[in-house]
C-alpha cells in the first residue's frame, strides 16, 4: 500500500518557524490548559455537587475527560502527520475552549459530564500535538530545553492547580474554573495563528483518513476504559456489566486489527510496534503510567491518615516530586549524550524501582520527612527515565511520522494510568478487607479524616499503601526489563539538520 503522506520541504527546525519564542509561549499556554484541568476541577467538586447535585456520578467529571483524551490521541497524531500540526492544534484548542464554555453553562451534573467529554476531545490534541511540535521546533541537541519547559508547566500546574481552583470556588463561582480557560486559550490560539509557520508541503493527490479505524479506536478505547474505570467501583469485577464491557472491548480490538491491516493510512500503523525502539518505549511508558498512580492517588491518604498531616501538608508531601522531576529532566541531556538514551532511562527506572521498594520499609507511623525525601528522589529518577525516551523516539522518526510516534507513547502512558488506578484500587481494597474484614478505601479515609478510626484501621491503611507501592515497584522493574531486553543499545537517530 502506497503512502499518501505529503512531502515536507525544509529542515526539522523549519517545521515551526516564525518567532520561535512566541510559538514556545503558545505551546506552554496550551499545555497549561491540559495540565491545570484536572487539578483545578478536583478542588471545586464540593461546590459543583452542592450546586448541581449528582454526587453519585461526579467521578465521571474526571473519568469522562480521561476517556476522551486517551482515545483521541492516536487520531490526532495521525492527522497532524497528514495535514500538519498547526490546523490540528488550532482545531483541538478550539474544541477544548468550546467545551470549557459549555461546562460553565452546564445546568446539571449530566450536562457537565457531557461537556467535560467535549473538553477531552480537544485535550487529546493539546497533549499530543504540543509534544510533537516541541520536537519540530528544536534539533536533537536542543530538544531537552523545550521538554524541560513543558515539564515545568506540569510541575507548576500540579502545585498551583488546587490553589487556583480553591480560590475561584471559594471567592467567585465554580463556573469561573472553566471560564478562565477562554482568555488563556484565546491568547495561545492568537500566537499560533500569527507566529507558527510550517514549511510548504507538497500536497498529496488525495489525503486519505482512516475514519473507520478512528471510530473503532474511539469505541474500543471507550468501552475498555469504561470497564477499567468503573470495574470494582460502580459494579463488581465479575458482574454482568464488567464481563459484557470487557467482552465487547476485546471484540472491538479484533475488529480494529482487521481494519488497520486493510487501511491505506491506518490510525495506528503497524510500524509503531514493529520497530524495536518505539515498541519498547511504548511498553516502558505504559509501565510508567501504571506506577505513577501509587503516589498520585494513594500518598495523600497515607500522609493524612497514617502520618496525621493536614490536607495542605499532605499535598506538599506529594508535590515535591513535581519539583525534582523537571530539574532532573533538564539535566538528563548531559547523561544521555554520554551513555545514550536507553542506558540513561535504565539508570533512572532502576533508581525508581529501589526508591519504590524502600517505601514499605518506612517505620510506622514514621515522620513526614521520610516519604517526602523518597518522593523528591522518585521525581528525580523518573525525570531521568521519561525525557530521554520521549526525545529518543521523536529523534528516530521523520516529520511525517513524528505525530503518530509521539501520540503512540502518550497513549500507552495514559492506558497505563487507567489500568493502574483500577489494579491498585483493587489491591488497596483487598488488603484493607483482609485486615479489617470488610472495608472500602473511601469509607476508611473518611473515618480517618473525622478522627473516628482506630489504630488498627490506621495500620491497615499503611499496609494497603505499602502493598500499592510494592506493585508500583513491580511495574518499574517491568519497565527496566523491557528496556534491557527489547530496546536497542543505541537508538537509530535520524540526522535532522
Amino acid at each position: 500500500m502506497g503512502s499518501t503522506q505529503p512531502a515536507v520541504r525544509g529542515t526539522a527546525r523549519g517545521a515551526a518557524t516564525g518567532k520561535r519564542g512566541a510559538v514556545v509561549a503558545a505551546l506552554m499556554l496550551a499545555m497549561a490548559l491540559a495540565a491545570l484541568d484536572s487539578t483545578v476541577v478536583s478542588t471545586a467538586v464540593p461546590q459543583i455537587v452542592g450546586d448541581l447535585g449528582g454526587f453519585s456520578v461526579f467521578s465521571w467529571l474526571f473519568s469522562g475527560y480521561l476517556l476522551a483524551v486517551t482515545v483521541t490521541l492516536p487520531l490526532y497524531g495521525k492527522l497532524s502527520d497528514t495535514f500538519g500540526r498547526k490546523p490540528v492544534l488550532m482545531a483541538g484548542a478550539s474544541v477544548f475552549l468550546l467545551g470549557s464554555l459549555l461546562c460553565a453553562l452546564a445546568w446539571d451534573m449530566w450536562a457537565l459530564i457531557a461537556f467535560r467529554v467535549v473538553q477531552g476531545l480537544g485535550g487529546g490534541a493539546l497533549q499530543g500535538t504540543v509534544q510533537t511540535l516541541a520536537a519540530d521546533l528544536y534539533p536533537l541537541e536542543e530538544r531537552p530545553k523545550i521538554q524541560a519547559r513543558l515539564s515545568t508547566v506540569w510541575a507548576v500546574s500540579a502545585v498551583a492547580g488546587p490553589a487556583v481552583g480553591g480560590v475561584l470556588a471559594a471567592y467567585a463561582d465554580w463556573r469561573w474554573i472553566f471560564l478562565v480557560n477562554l482568555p488563556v486559550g484565546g491568547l495561545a490560539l492568537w500566537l499560533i495563528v500569527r507566529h507558527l509557520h510550517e514549511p510548504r508541503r507538497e500536497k498529496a493527490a488525495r489525503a486519505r483518513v482512516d475514519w473507520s479505524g478512528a471510530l473503532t479506536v474511539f469505541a474500543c478505547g471507550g468501552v475498555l476504559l469504561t470497564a477499567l474505570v468503573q470495574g470494582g467501583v460502580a459494579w463488581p469485577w465479575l458482574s454482568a456489566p464488567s464481563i459484557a464491557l470487557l467482552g465487547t472491548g476485546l471484540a472491538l480490538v479484533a475488529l480494529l486489527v482487521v481494519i488497520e491491516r486493510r487501511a491505506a493510512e491506518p490510525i495506528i500503523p503497524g510500524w509503531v510496534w514493529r520497530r524495536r525502539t518505539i515498541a519498547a518505549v511504548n511498553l516502558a511508558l505504559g509501565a510508567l503510567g501504571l506506577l505513577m498512580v501509587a503516589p498520585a492517588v494513594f500518598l495523600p491518604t497515607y500522609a493524612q491518615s497514617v502520618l496525621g498531616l493536614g490536607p495542605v501538608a499532605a499535598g506538599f508531601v506529594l508535590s515535591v516530586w513535581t519539583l525534582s522531576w523537571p530539574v532532573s529532566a533538564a539535566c538528563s541531556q548531559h547523561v544521555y549524550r554520554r551513555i545514550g538514551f536507553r542506558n540513561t532511562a535504565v539508570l533512572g527506572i532502576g533508581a525508581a524501582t529501589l526508591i519504590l521498594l524502600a517505601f514499605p520499609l518506612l517505620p510506622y507511623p514514621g515522620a513526614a520527612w521520610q516519604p517526602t525525601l523518597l518522593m523528591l528522589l522518585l521525581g528525580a529518577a523518573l525525570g531521568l527515565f521519561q525525557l530521554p525516551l520521549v526525545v529518543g523516539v521523536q529523534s528516530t522518526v521523520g516529520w511525517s511520522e513524528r505525530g503518530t510516534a509521539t501520540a503512540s507513547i502518550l497513549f500507552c502512558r495514559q492506558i497505563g494510568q487507567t489500568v493502574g488506578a483500577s489494579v491498585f484500587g483493587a489491591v488497596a481494597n483487598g488488603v484493607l478487607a483482609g485486615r479489617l474484614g470488610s472495608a472500602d478505601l473511601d469509607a476508611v479515609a473518611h473515618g480517618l479524616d473525622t478522627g473516628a478510626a482506630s489504630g488498627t484501621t490506621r495500620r491497615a491503611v499503611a499496609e494497603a499503601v505499602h502493598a500499592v507501592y510494592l506493585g508500583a515497584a513491580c511495574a518499574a522493574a517491568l519497565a527496566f526489563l523491557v528496556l534491557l531486553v527489547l530496546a536497542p543499545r543505541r537508538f537509530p537517530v535520524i540526522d535532522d539538520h
Side-chain angles (χ1 to χ4, degrees):
M1 292 176 287
S3 173
T4 61
Q5 294 291 357
V8 182
R9 290 182 178 176
T11 65
R13 278 174 287 184
T17 56
K19 292 184 177 180
R20 192 164 67 172
V23 176
V24 171
L27 296 186
M28 294 178 70
L29 288 172
M31 185 61 78
L33 290 175
L36 280 168
D37 186 78
S38 295
T39 56
V40 171
V41 174
S42 63
T43 55
V45 165
Q47 289 78 13
I48 294 174
V49 171
D51 187 16
L52 300 181
F55 179 80
S56 62
V57 295
F58 84 86
S59 63
W60 274 99
L61 292 177
F62 308 97
S63 300
Y65 179 84
L66 174 66
L67 292 173
V69 168
T70 304
V71 299
T72 54
L73 275 169
L75 173 61
Y76 284 126
K78 185 63 179 180
L79 291 177
S80 74
D81 285 342
T82 304
F83 299 106
R85 326 293 188 213
K86 184 174 181 177
V88 172
L89 183 55
M90 290 174 58
S94 299
V95 172
F96 183 90
L97 295 179
L98 174 62
S100 298
L101 177 61
L102 292 174
C103 285
L105 300 175
W107 52 89
D108 60 26
M109 183 60 74
W110 286 111
L112 183 58
I113 290 171
F115 298 147
R116 284 281 288 166
V117 172
V118 175
Q119 262 194 316
L121 295 177
L126 294 181
Q127 291 194 29
T129 314
V130 166
Q131 290 280 3
T132 305
L133 266 170
D136 291 344
L137 274 170
Y138 292 89
L140 173 59
E141 64 271 14
E142 297 182 36
R143 280 176 193 154
K145 295 180 181 179
I146 181 63
Q147 290 292 351
R149 292 179 186 178
L150 295 178
S151 297
T152 302
V153 170
W154 282 97
V156 171
S157 300
V159 176
V164 173
V167 168
L168 290 175
Y171 298 103
D173 185 274
W174 63 264
R175 297 178 189 273
W176 280 100
I177 288 173
F178 301 104
L179 290 175
V180 295
N181 289 335
L182 301 181
V184 175
L187 176 59
L189 270 174
W190 180 79
L191 290 172
I192 290 167
V193 171
R194 185 175 178 85
H195 297 295
L196 176 58
H197 305 297
E198 295 185 286
R200 185 171 59 87
R201 298 177 299 126
E202 295 176 1
K203 294 183 179 180
R206 182 185 178 190
R208 290 176 287 181
V209 178
D210 178 22
W211 293 113
S212 59
L215 291 174
T216 308
V217 167
F218 196 90
C220 176
V223 169
L224 288 177
L225 291 176
T226 300
L228 292 172
V229 169
Q230 296 298 101
V233 178
W235 47 70
W237 279 109
L238 297 180
S239 64
S242 279
I243 294 173
L245 285 172
L246 290 172
T248 303
L250 293 177
L252 288 171
V253 168
L255 177 62
L256 177 63
V257 171
V258 173
I259 291 174
E260 295 299 84
R261 283 185 173 180
R262 295 179 177 178
E265 296 291 345
I267 294 296
I268 304 179
W271 56 260
V272 301
W273 292 105
R274 288 194 297 269
R275 298 180 190 176
R276 284 180 57 198
T277 302
I278 302 177
V281 172
N282 281 344
L283 294 174
L285 289 189
L288 171 65
L290 191 71
L291 71 88
M292 285 174 61
V293 170
V297 175
F298 295 94
L299 186 60
T301 297
Y302 178 91
Q304 293 183 65
S305 60
V306 178
L307 302 180
L309 301 179
V312 176
F316 175 77
V317 172
L318 174 63
S319 66
V320 293
W321 78 332
T322 66
L323 305 177
S324 57
W325 191 318
V327 174
S328 174
C331 295
S332 66
Q333 59 177 312
H334 303 295
V335 182
Y336 69 65
R337 285 175 180 172
R338 292 176 178 268
I339 64 176
F341 292 115
R342 189 199 72 164
N343 290 341
T344 303
V346 166
L347 180 65
I349 199 62
T353 304
L354 297 177
I355 294 165
L356 290 166
L357 286 173
F359 192 92
L361 302 178
L362 294 178
Y364 176 84
W369 68 267
Q370 294 166 335
T372 302
L373 176 60
L374 288 183
M375 290 303 297
L376 193 68
L377 295 174
L378 182 62
L382 294 180
L384 201 62
F385 166 69
Q386 183 186 32
L387 184 63
L389 294 182
V390 174
V391 173
V393 163
Q394 290 179 331
S395 303
T396 64
V397 294
W399 188 96
S400 63
E401 295 178 338
R402 191 172 290 144
T404 299
T406 302
S408 172
I409 59 180
L410 295 178
F411 176 75
C412 289
R413 190 182 66 184
Q414 291 280 104
I415 291 293
Q417 288 179 296
T418 305
V419 172
S422 300
V423 170
F424 291 147
V427 168
N429 281 314
V431 173
L432 286 170
R435 290 283 298 175
L436 303 176
S438 178
D440 176 76
L441 189 60
D442 293 331
V444 170
H446 177 72
L448 290 162
D449 184 54
T450 58
S454 64
T456 301
T457 302
R458 293 176 183 273
R459 187 72 189 227
V461 171
E463 292 187 7
V465 177
H466 287 169
V468 167
Y469 267 79
L470 283 175
C474 292
L478 176 62
F480 182 88
L481 291 175
V482 163
L483 291 177
L484 280 183
V485 175
L486 293 181
R489 186 176 301 241
R490 287 187 170 276
F491 283 18
V493 173
I494 296 175
D495 185 0
D496 57 1
H497 282 289

